[in-house]
Amino acid sequence: MARFDLMMNRRALLGAAAAGLGALALGGCSTGGADEGSDAGIASVDVVDDSTIVVGIDQPVCLDPYFASAPASAQAVFQLFDPLTRYDFETGALTCLAAESYRVSEDQQTFTFTLRDATFHNGDSVRASDFKRAWERLVSPESAAATAWGGPSWAGHLLALVEGYNELRSGAASSLSGVSCPDDRTLTVKLTRPYAEFPYIVSALGLAPVPASAEDDPVAFGAAPVGNGPFMVAAEQGHPDDAFDLVRFEEYLPMPAQIERVRFSFQEGVSESYRAFESGDLMVSACPFNEVDANAASWKSNDDERLQLNSSRHMVLGSEPVVSYLVCNTTVGPLNDAAIRRALSMAIDRDALSKRVFRDARMPAYGIVPPDIPGYREEGWAAAEYDVSAATDALDALYPKGGDGERDCAISLLYSADSGHKNAMELIAEDFEAVGVTCELEEVSFEELYERLEAGTFQLARIDWTPDVPCMDNVLFPLFHSSAQGGFNFSRYANQRVDELIDQARATASDTERIARLREAEDVIAADMPVIPYIFGAHAVVGSRQVEKLLIDPYGYAHLGEAELA
């Protein structure tokens, strides 16, 4: 995919997340303060039996994996479709899902997946060709889905290293030459370069298989898709304007879900959803941060069940793999000097930021790799520690104060008006001013922010990064590899040693050795400080006493296929 097209898709994804209920898709608490919500009435939900779970959700635009980027759609797709693999956040291991097993060539460029015996909701067998079809429709600008929905899916870029990607994306070919199906249960994928973490990539919801009907009529498929997951769309929908129902797929292997029916009740914002929960209309809902007991934050606990709602634990407050940071334009002064970038970072009191702006319900970020991503380190970056004295000394050497007691050092800080981080930016600006750096805040629209990031017409800019899949490479490569300039490497950062280490990691089979190389690359990045991380994302979810067991993973997905009701 051309980098501009990729940017536009990512921008649409982020815009959808900001406009909807947030990254959680159960009501989304990934913005800073409590959601103002809506004055609209609470969606009507009929009394249901004890085999149905009722969950608050924004109204999805589409239920096709093609649109698995939109938060509410992703929550539904998670229940309806199984990709090849899934990362188990409780065990910290990548596990097989639609795949039974997989093999990797010694050069980390060829991956052979053996599918488990499974069927779609219509009874058709899930075949390797269903994955090939799904992937090609994501990439091809001429697929029926692309025609119906206005362009290739955001998920297509995940396949950029597959042989034939560029040809299919440009329209010069009609298929991915690097994807083959020797038989119905074997899917072979050849890459143009080594990428040991490709098995993580195929855990993305957008890469789930689809039957032929997905291309026959993509609009109808988007409304009532035929998937291979633990739940299927209910044949009869009693509340199409207020809710939609999923029912248990009885043929799901290794065993069907315990819950018979899921009702997703449409809510307009976190506050409305929480009010519906308090009134007894919902069993699971997002929770505004002002209703959270921050002392119970999951990320402060070593509890093995920290992600679980259960009969004795009715709230999950956990970190998300989202990092909020300031992009430094390393090509313009004064931020073309790593020393001032480090000084600015040390001037930020992240603990105070967490307490004063985010009510201690979000975790200070002392590095760029979010919690729950393999390779995350609690100790963080040295220059991310709050140290006013060191920041002042560094600035005194670079920009000594004149006779009037002022430094000749001023910067502008760009941020989006709808980011929910205005208060955070004001506090950070105060921290900069406290060490003698004049900081002008510039609030712009979401579109203008990304236009200026692309054009490089900024000094500092606030942005979030959410890895597409839970692997360290999906943080470091797009943000810091020199080849990602023109993509998401908005800092224009380039360091040959960082490139070498990331490339070496991609060719390394051992998880331990691969993470060691990536951490070495991160250490170099931390010293250069092309970005200044300040806070990690979080979500808060509440469950009623009727919920006996429900896992909410760091991406905010409710694992309803393994849930239990009291």
Side-chain angles (χ1 to χ4, degrees):
M1 181 181 292
R3 294 199 181 278
F4 178 75
D5 292 335
L6 174 56
M7 181 62 60
M8 293 300 292
N9 279 319
R10 183 81 181 194
R11 185 186 302 168
L13 161 62
L14 295 173
L21 287 178
L24 179 58
L26 285 169
C29 294
S30 60
T31 56
D35 188 350
E36 295 286 338
S38 167
D39 293 330
I42 297 172
S44 174
V45 180
D46 288 350
V47 175
V48 292
D49 57 40
D50 58 6
S51 63
T52 300
I53 188 168
V54 186
V55 181
I57 189 174
D58 193 6
Q59 186 167 3
V61 175
C62 177
L63 305 182
D64 189 332
Y66 197 88
F67 273 105
S69 57
S73 297
Q75 188 66 253
V77 169
F78 187 83
Q79 320 305 329
L80 294 166
F81 290 88
D82 282 353
L84 288 167
T85 61
R86 176 167 292 165
Y87 185 75
D88 187 330
F89 287 97
E90 291 188 299
T91 63
L94 186 70
T95 61
C96 288
L97 194 58
E100 183 177 81
S101 62
Y102 62 87
R103 302 190 309 277
V104 184
S105 64
E106 188 174 346
D107 64 1
Q108 307 299 307
Q109 286 189 226
T110 301
F111 301 81
T112 302
F113 298 90
T114 300
L115 305 187
R116 64 179 172 88
D117 188 16
T119 62
F120 284 111
H121 299 152
N122 63 1
D124 292 346
S125 295
V126 177
R127 299 179 174 90
S129 57
D130 298 314
F131 282 93
K132 181 175 171 66
R133 175 190 302 109
W135 296 4
E136 289 173 348
R137 73 195 286 259
L138 297 176
V139 178
S140 172
E142 299 176 1
S143 69
T147 301
W149 304 117
S153 166
W154 72 276
H157 79 275
L158 296 172
L159 303 170
L161 292 183
V162 175
E163 287 184 2
Y165 171 88
N166 290 329
E167 292 78 4
L168 178 58
R169 178 66 187 87
S170 68
S174 59
S175 64
L176 284 169
S177 58
V179 180
S180 60
C181 308
D183 56 60
D184 286 347
R185 294 188 60 193
T186 305
L187 181 73
T188 300
V189 185
K190 294 183 179 180
L191 307 183
T192 56
R193 294 193 296 276
Y195 193 21
E197 290 184 320
F198 187 72
Y200 286 83
I201 294 297
V202 298
S203 70
L205 289 179
L207 303 188
V210 297
S213 59
E215 281 293 276
D216 293 340
D217 189 343
V219 175
F221 187 81
V226 175
N228 64 325
F231 291 96
M232 55 192 291
V233 176
E236 296 183 4
Q237 297 289 337
H239 307 271
D241 296 327
D242 297 331
F244 75 94
D245 287 6
L246 307 181
V247 294
R248 179 171 63 196
F249 178 39
E250 299 293 348
E251 305 304 317
Y252 185 76
L253 297 174
M255 65 178 62
Q258 292 197 31
I259 292 174
E260 293 181 13
R261 181 176 289 260
V262 176
R263 176 161 296 169
F264 283 124
S265 174
F266 304 153
Q267 307 294 322
E268 295 186 9
V270 178
S271 295
E272 178 183 302
S273 184
Y274 188 67
R275 289 196 301 268
F277 172 80
E278 288 188 306
S279 68
D281 291 327
L282 299 178
M283 296 160 67
V284 179
S285 170
C287 179
F289 280 142
N290 62 343
E291 300 288 346
V292 170
D293 176 8
N295 292 323
S298 301
W299 50 263
K300 295 180 179 178
S301 169
N302 291 321
D303 180 3
D304 289 338
E305 295 184 345
R306 66 191 180 91
L307 304 176
Q308 295 272 9
L309 289 171
N310 54 50
S311 57
S312 59
R313 181 173 189 160
H314 304 293
M315 176 179 291
V316 167
L317 173 58
S319 58
E320 290 181 343
V322 179
V323 58
S324 298
Y325 62 99
L326 307 182
V327 181
C328 303
N329 188 339
T330 62
T331 66
V332 300
L335 296 172
N336 55 356
D337 187 337
I340 192 169
R341 299 196 295 264
R342 289 192 295 268
L344 291 175
S345 178
M346 290 186 289
I348 298 174
D349 188 347
R350 291 164 176 81
D351 283 338
L353 192 69
S354 175
K355 290 179 173 64
R356 291 172 57 185
V357 177
F358 301 104
R359 307 183 186 190
D360 206 22
R362 294 186 69 172
M363 185 177 178
Y366 295 99
I368 197 66
V369 178
D372 299 304
I373 299 295
Y376 163 75
R377 291 180 284 186
E378 290 186 3
E379 59 267 26
W381 297 2
E385 292 293 334
Y386 181 49
D387 192 335
V388 171
S389 177
T392 301
D393 289 345
L395 289 165
D396 285 344
L398 294 166
Y399 296 94
K401 293 180 179 180
D404 58 359
E406 299 292 328
R407 299 188 197 282
D408 184 20
C409 183
I411 56 172
S412 64
L413 173 51
L414 195 68
Y415 69 98
S416 170
D418 57 4
S419 66
H421 284 243
K422 179 177 182 179
N423 291 343
M425 296 304 96
E426 291 174 347
L427 193 59
I428 287 174
E430 290 177 11
D431 286 342
F432 291 163
E433 299 277 358
V435 293
V437 176
T438 303
C439 181
E440 177 186 357
L441 294 178
E442 190 174 358
E443 187 179 72
V444 297
S445 68
F446 187 82
E447 283 298 318
E448 183 178 345
L449 172 67
Y450 276 86
E451 288 170 0
R452 291 180 60 178
L453 284 167
E454 290 173 15
T457 54
F458 70 98
Q459 288 182 306
L460 276 177
R462 194 217 79 82
I463 194 174
D464 297 326
W465 179 257
T466 305
D468 294 305
V469 292
C471 64
M472 195 174 178
D473 173 272
N474 204 227
V475 178
L476 300 189
F477 183 92
L479 300 189
F480 305 112
H481 198 282
S482 63
S483 68
Q485 293 187 36
F488 303 118
N489 182 353
F490 295 123
S491 64
R492 279 70 177 170
Y493 177 68
N495 183 300
Q496 184 177 352
R497 182 56 179 159
V498 169
D499 288 355
E500 291 173 352
L501 288 165
I502 292 176
D503 291 342
Q504 289 171 13
R506 287 188 154 199
T508 302
S510 165
D511 289 347
T512 302
E513 293 178 12
R514 186 165 63 251
I515 287 176
R517 285 186 171 86
L518 290 171
R519 282 178 167 174
E520 188 177 347
E522 188 189 8
D523 289 340
V524 178
I525 295 164
D528 289 342
M529 213 81 192
V531 302
I532 301 174
Y534 66 90
I535 206 81
F536 290 124
H539 59 249
V541 182
V542 288
S544 72
R545 297 183 185 278
Q546 296 160 284
V547 179
E548 180 68 26
K549 174 186 174 184
L550 176 59
L551 172 70
I552 307 292
D553 73 25
Y555 276 91
Y557 295 132
H559 289 237
L560 298 169
E562 299 92 49
E564 299 175 14
L565 294 178

